[in-house]
Amino acid sequence: MQIELDTNTKKWMQSKSKPVSVRTISVNACCAPPVQELMTHLGKPKDVHNYQEIKIDDLSIYVEKHLSQNEKMTLKLTGIGIFKMISAKLG
């Protein structure tokens, strides 16, 4: 799997000195089909055996194993001030 990061995202991740974990969450609604979204958080996952660790320079990114079958993932810094976070997108 190839992970793309822009310079701002990479610098922010380095400043936090923590790995980033990416996983899927399922959203179920009564009147619509279920939707799967990608969720990121700072820190190593508790169930690390379900993740593949990908190293980019000095950064560690943990991706759920079933997601690592995709060719490409893009991580991008979003938000402002203390509300900044990493968003993930496949493809």
Side-chain angles (χ1 to χ4, degrees):
M1 167 177 258
Q2 176 187 354
I3 296 183
E4 293 184 353
L5 304 165
D6 62 25
T7 306
N8 288 340
T9 304
K10 191 173 183 179
K11 285 181 182 178
W12 186 83
M13 289 171 62
Q14 289 169 331
S15 74
K16 295 300 178 185
S17 301
K18 291 183 180 181
V20 171
S21 300
V22 182
R23 66 182 182 96
T24 55
I25 58 169
S26 295
V27 179
N28 296 316
C30 66
C31 304
V35 176
Q36 283 195 335
E37 290 288 326
L38 295 180
M39 183 177 147
T40 64
H41 74 275
L42 284 176
K44 194 173 183 177
K46 292 178 184 174
D47 56 341
V48 75
H49 61 279
N50 290 327
Y51 289 77
Q52 175 184 357
E53 182 180 10
I54 299 171
K55 293 267 196 184
I56 298 176
D57 298 331
D58 59 341
L59 301 173
S60 288
I61 301 165
Y62 290 88
V63 179
E64 271 187 327
K65 285 185 178 176
H66 70 92
L67 290 174
S68 63
Q69 297 171 359
N70 293 286
E71 288 183 29
K72 186 170 88 171
M73 178 183 290
T74 303
L75 299 179
K76 185 169 175 81
L77 183 63
T78 60
I80 57 172
I82 63 169
F83 301 108
K84 288 184 180 178
M85 61 179 276
I86 302 290
S87 65
K89 182 180 175 185
L90 292 175

